[in-house]
Amino acid sequence: MRDETIPTHCPYCALQCGMNLRPGGAAETVVEVVERPDFPVNRGALCGKGRTSPALLSSRVRLTEPLIRSHATGRLEPATWEDALRTIADGLRRTKDVHGPDAVGVFGGGGLTNEKAYTLGKFARVVLGTSQIDYNGRFCMSSAAAAHNKAFGLDRGLPFPLEDIPKTGCVILVGSNLAETMPPALRFLTELKENGGTLIVVDPRRTKTAEQADLHLAPRPGTDLALALGLLHVIVAEGRTDEAFIEERTSGWADARAAAMAHWPELVERITGVGVPQLREAVRMFCDAPTGMVLTARGPEQQSKGTDTVSAWINLCLATGRAGRPLSGYGCLTGQGNGQGGREHGQKADQLPGYRKLDDPAARAHVAEVWGVDPESLPGPGRSAYELLDALGGDVKSLLLMGSNPVVSAPRAAHVEERLKSLDFLAVADVVLSETAALADVVLPVTQWAEETGTTTNLEGRVLLRRRAVDAPPGVRSDLQVLGGLAGLLGHEKGFPSDPEEVFEELRRASAGGPADYSGITYRRIAEEDGVFWPCPEQQEPEAHPGTPRLFLDRFATDDGRARFVAVGHRPAAEEPDAEYPVLLTTGRVVAQYQSGAQTRRVDELNAAAPGPFVELHPQLAERIGAADGDPVAVVSRRGRAVGPARITNGIRPDTVFMPFHWPGEGRVNTVTNPALDPTSRMPEFKVCAVRVEPAA
């Protein structure tokens, strides 16, 4: 055991908690996690996933050699890197030559570093010439991103650092269970209350986070939009709007106010199940506080009306003057580790690096110049994530997939699994043999967080540096090496370096002048300053740009500097209960597992804490179907069936059931979920669909 430690960040959620790693000696303890109390986001605290993250470095649980599916046996069998890369290049080239470039798809992940996300987008558009690229971050906060852009002209998860939350007067937390999804962040809410602030939690379940609230509102799933409109109605009716702020810093208020006034409290009570007295109490708490914030997460966003729902909560902030001012504002709690940076630099179907729009001629010209290609050669926008997965085996014949597991994480997952199986060719690069990788023709073992250097951007917009602490096992290469090797085999021997800092230097130039401007950020600055907040344009000496921890204090990022109200109205979920499917299903996470579980399900300590799926239901519903606690029950929708043991609790609405989504097999709840898409963000409706619940035979 050596004494030195390497400062880095957790490989999991968008907090990107700081940690130190001490290289170890034993094969099963490659590194030891050591507290890093000086990092401001978590001040040394880590959840169980962060503490046990070194277990993923063990060769016992991860891939260490390429695999190619044998024509003779049909099984994945060990292969050389040269054969594996050549097989992938041949497969992609063959599809492109026969069916055209858009027959080749690329699917990325919100856990990829900025350098990988940038290179993957460049590879798709320059080497393959395909428009068919998107990533699983589309399933994370795309609705909030769309609403941010409409209202503020810029999308960054939080327009202020987390350290501001305990200093505000009141927080409305909508559809987030921080106690289980981001445990180290719960202290910001604890400190808020210690400082005399108040907390309102909106969630159909009485979660561990809701138990901390001064007021818990439990709306029927899919009605968050009506709830926000009802609160704004009360604010207007009681004369609690900030007319000076509205006049000086916003536009579009008249239409938004009229839309809200069509949602009177008694109507909203009937839609949501939240009583009028609770609505009025929430308005009193929020408006009596001198400052306030609204924070949303997947609950209101993963709906077929998620963009409008977030817009309604933003309208509430704008109408009360709780935006563009210190210690006030709207923010989104990004979920995946690099969900923010992953969408800023080219993985999304419609975006170029720097958060530029792919259909903007000036953006195309700028990025094309950095890449050394003709702007006309760049393809246009392609399909969103679910639409791309749905097209597999049809228009899209081959797929390169990096860092995602849609067999478990995508909605209507059984259908997506069949689409993946119908491909002419599938190549997957991953750390572990996920359920998706197990379907591939070629699987490549790639490095992970502690074995490589690279940047991520956390939910605050803070660009961070993950440092390499240990060498990868023999036989493992980085994603950048994979993309560079494939690019060379496909005729592009230059432009795809494997050194992450070299890639970041190019990313800086590509992002310069864009909404997400990283041009003033360097590896050295990140290391010295505990991260740098974008936008951070490059400035001439003697003084560098300080970065932007707090956005919109002087003006919003719109053409006229004003925030825009967006007039929205409530509408039902894409699928409402009926006689055959009388119950609502909502999904989420548990503290010991993460996303599709591809990594956390390989950690013994985490599996002991959360060994499998369950169905959370109210005692009234359990009695109606004749289920006792622990009995296997089936949740059935129009798309399929998921099974888990009953977990009976008064902490959920009688008309609602909950299942976590981390497991494959018969407990795969995404077999059941609805792929209905938000018309703007193309976010699937994970959070609400009609089901029936019955004893499992």
Side-chain angles (χ1 to χ4, degrees), residues 520-521 524-525 529 536-547:
I521 304 175
R524 179 188 59 78
R525 279 196 64 183
E529 301 175 29
C536 183
E538 187 171 28
Q539 292 184 172
Q540 298 299 316
E541 297 291 349
E543 189 172 322
H545 191 284

Side-chain angles (χ1 to χ4, degrees), residues 5-24:
T5 61
I6 295 94
T8 189
H9 297 273
C10 177
Y12 289 111
C13 80
L15 285 180
Q16 288 296 280
C17 291
M19 61 168 65
N20 288 317
L21 296 181
R22 179 180 292 129

Side-chain angles (χ1 to χ4, degrees), residues 240-251:
R240 290 178 174 270
T241 56
D242 188 331
E243 295 297 327
F245 179 87
I246 292 170
E247 174 67 25
E248 294 168 9
R249 299 200 60 191
T250 73
S251 62

Side-chain angles (χ1 to χ4, degrees), residues 78-152:
T80 67
W81 269 96
E82 290 68 24
D83 285 346
L85 290 175
R86 189 180 307 110
T87 301
I88 295 174
D90 289 346
L92 300 180
R93 182 189 296 111
R94 184 166 56 250
T95 298
K96 182 178 177 181
D97 290 347
V98 174
H99 301 285
D102 276 355
V104 181
V106 176
F107 200 87
L112 300 182
T113 63
N114 290 318
E115 292 81 1
K116 295 177 187 179
Y118 171 84
T119 303
L120 188 62
K122 180 181 179 182
F123 178 85
R125 295 179 174 106
V126 173
V127 177
L128 300 176
T130 182
S131 66
Q132 301 302 301
I133 175 173
D134 211 82
Y135 84 128
N136 63 14
R138 178 77 66 173
F139 301 156
C140 178
M141 60 165 292
S142 57
S143 294
H148 285 187
N149 285 321
K150 286 185 176 185
F152 306 133

Side-chain angles (χ1 to χ4, degrees), residues 278-298:
Q278 284 189 300
L279 296 175
R280 297 192 185 281
E281 176 64 7
V283 167
R284 184 198 65 76
M285 290 171 61
F286 190 65
C287 293
D288 282 358
T291 53
M293 297 174 179
V294 173
L295 305 176
T296 68
R298 305 302 79 76

Side-chain angles (χ1 to χ4, degrees), residues 458-537:
N458 81 345
L459 75 172
E460 307 167 294
R462 189 194 301 255
V463 185
L464 303 165
L465 185 63
R466 284 193 199 155
R467 297 166 176 84
R468 186 178 69 82
V470 293
D471 293 332
V476 174
R477 297 184 184 181
S478 74
D479 295 276
L480 294 179
Q481 289 175 307
V482 168
L483 292 170
L486 290 174
L489 291 171
L490 292 168
H492 293 259
E493 295 182 359
K494 295 183 179 180
F496 292 87
S498 60
D499 176 57
E501 188 166 8
E502 186 177 347
V503 175
F504 190 80
E505 288 300 305
E506 183 178 301
L507 182 157
R508 291 177 61 207
R509 292 188 287 119
S511 73
D517 191 334
Y518 283 30
S519 61
I521 304 175
T522 64
Y523 274 29
R524 179 188 59 78
R525 279 196 64 183
I526 298 171
E528 292 175 354
E529 301 175 29
D530 276 335
V532 181
F533 291 84
W534 72 262
C536 183

